[in-house]
Amino acid sequence: MKPTRILVGLATLVGLVLATSHVTSDANVTPPVENKPAASYTSAAEIIEYGQPNRLTLQSGVAMIVDDREGVMLYGRNIERQRPIASLTKLMTALVILESGVPLDEPIKITRDDRDRLRGTKSRLGFNGVFTRHDLLYAALGASDNRAAAALARTYPGGEEAMFQAMNAKAQQLGMTQTRYVDSSGLHNGNVSTANDLVRLVNETHKHALIHAMTTTPTFRVTDQASGRQIAFRNTNRLVHRQSWDIALSKTGYTSAAGNCLIMQTTIAERPLTIVLLNSWGKLSRYGDARRIQQWLEKAERRVPPTITASASHI
């Protein structure tokens, strides 16, 4: 096409735009709303209809998948069944600590009162070591360290009992009516909840950027203020170490009574989700379930037929 024709065409187009703008302004008429295509994402209802979640086979005794964008449950199994939750407890521990306003840079000495006298679990935090409250939160959330959780409760204003009361009060405030806490680590089987309640907890803890960072960092170090020694930790959720997963919040848990547990806020196929998996008895089955959920959603997206909303809007 010759340059002169291009210029003429452009001039004509500009003239039409200016003329339309002038008429609309003089007549004081609201311009018509453009007929835009519908949102490009697949709705939760379409995923449920075409994804056939009843065919999703998981190894966890309790499972819940929630579309966070719409607040719709995509899949649920035994979501109101009350069960021990092991170290998933530590999410509430961190939430209460952060909302209490206690200084995170305050040094806390690890004592023998912080040892696990119930199950005898070990810790990399030595007795007489001194760590900031920030670093203890990191160890409790990222590495699921029980001694760190105990020290956080011991040094809470008013002590352990005040801490447990605050945890239960926060649960009630969030509408977690089937949840009870009796310690800060989750070692006690009296710490119980349901998948439905835990989704509420995840939604609340996700508001804190610090919890996001502490639960999704693959590896980190804390510093013993007494000796200057750095102690390396590794996140207990193996999925945060994989680039194929986009995880915004994470927590694992295990006791013989609770089984293997996993909570995540993640994005799969551009869909933000909350996933709760409880009572998974195989050591790796919770991760296998997460992978099965990932594959199911990706396939469900492909099964949904092209929407006719966009073309219908022009009729």
Side-chain angles (χ1 to χ4, degrees):
M1 183 180 290
K2 294 183 179 180
T4 53
R5 291 185 180 179
I6 295 176
L7 292 173
V8 170
L10 286 174
T12 302
L13 178 60
V14 170
L16 287 172
V17 172
L18 290 175
T20 303
S21 175
H22 176 71
V23 169
T24 302
S25 176
D26 288 349
N28 195 28
V29 176
T30 302
V33 177
E34 294 182 11
N35 290 319
K36 295 182 179 180
S40 59
Y41 66 82
T42 306
S43 70
E46 289 172 319
I47 289 294
I48 294 171
E49 179 180 359
Y50 295 98
Q52 299 177 306
N54 58 303
R55 296 187 178 182
L56 180 58
T57 303
L58 301 179
Q59 301 301 312
S60 301
V62 175
M64 189 170 178
I65 308 169
V66 177
D67 184 316
D68 290 336
R69 183 167 48 208
E70 299 181 43
V72 174
M73 183 175 70
L74 302 178
Y75 176 91
R77 175 196 289 177
N78 301 322
I79 66 171
E80 295 293 351
R81 180 174 293 178
Q82 192 182 60
R83 290 200 50 80
I85 56 173
S87 287
L88 302 185
T89 296
K90 295 182 176 78
L91 282 176
M92 181 62 82
T93 298
L95 180 62
V96 168
I97 290 288
L98 292 177
E99 293 190 349
S100 71
V102 292
L104 297 186
D105 59 353
E106 179 181 347
I108 295 174
K109 185 176 182 178
I110 301 295
T111 73
R112 292 195 173 273
D113 290 336
D114 302 322
R115 70 186 184 277
D116 174 12
R117 288 167 287 186
L118 186 62
R119 302 183 187 277
T121 57
K122 304 301 181 182
S123 171
R124 306 197 71 185
L125 305 177
F127 298 126
N128 298 318
V130 179
F131 304 89
T132 63
R133 184 173 280 110
H134 174 278
D135 279 1
L136 290 180
L137 277 172
Y138 225 140
L141 287 174
S144 206
D145 191 279
N146 295 314
R147 192 172 294 175
L152 289 169
R154 176 176 55 82
T155 57
Y156 184 81
E160 288 183 343
E161 290 305 317
M163 174 77 171
F164 306 153
Q165 290 176 12
M167 293 169 69
N168 284 304
K170 186 64 180 180
Q172 292 303 304
Q173 179 189 335
L174 295 176
M176 299 169 63
T177 58
Q178 300 302 309
T179 300
R180 301 289 182 274
Y181 295 104
V182 296
D183 75 3
S184 59
S185 63
L187 290 168
H188 198 292
N189 290 338
N191 287 17
V192 295
S193 189
T194 66
N196 197 38
D197 276 8
L198 290 170
V199 168
R200 295 173 182 267
L201 177 60
V202 170
N203 289 336
E204 187 69 15
T205 53
H206 184 66
K207 298 175 183 178
H208 294 267
L210 196 59
I211 295 180
H212 156 71
M214 290 181 172
T215 63
T216 59
T217 302
T219 59
F220 60 94
R221 295 175 181 271
V222 301
T223 302
D224 183 346
Q225 305 290 319
S227 66
R229 184 171 68 98
Q230 289 194 326
I231 303 172
F233 285 100
R234 182 178 177 84
N235 195 293
T236 54
N237 181 0
R238 62 176 54 204
L239 299 182
V240 305
H241 303 271
R242 299 179 182 175
Q243 294 184 351
S244 58
W245 282 87
D246 179 9
I247 300 174
L249 186 143
S250 162
K251 189 70 198 77
T252 62
Y254 172 78
T255 63
S256 58
N260 288 283
C261 305
L262 176 64
I263 279 181
M264 290 195 301
Q265 274 196 328
T266 185
T267 299
I268 298 176
E270 300 184 1
R271 183 178 304 276
L273 303 166
T274 294
I275 298 174
V276 178
L277 300 171
L278 307 179
N279 191 26
S280 183
W281 285 99
K283 185 176 181 180
L284 300 179
S285 58
R286 56 187 167 183
Y287 303 118
D289 278 353
R291 177 58 179 157
R292 282 182 276 273
I293 291 169
Q294 186 183 57
Q295 292 173 331
W296 167 68
L297 274 170
E298 291 170 348
K299 290 179 181 177
E301 289 277 355
R302 293 194 294 269
R303 289 195 187 106
V304 177
T307 179
I308 62 172
T309 304
S311 58
S313 66
H314 292 282
I315 297 176

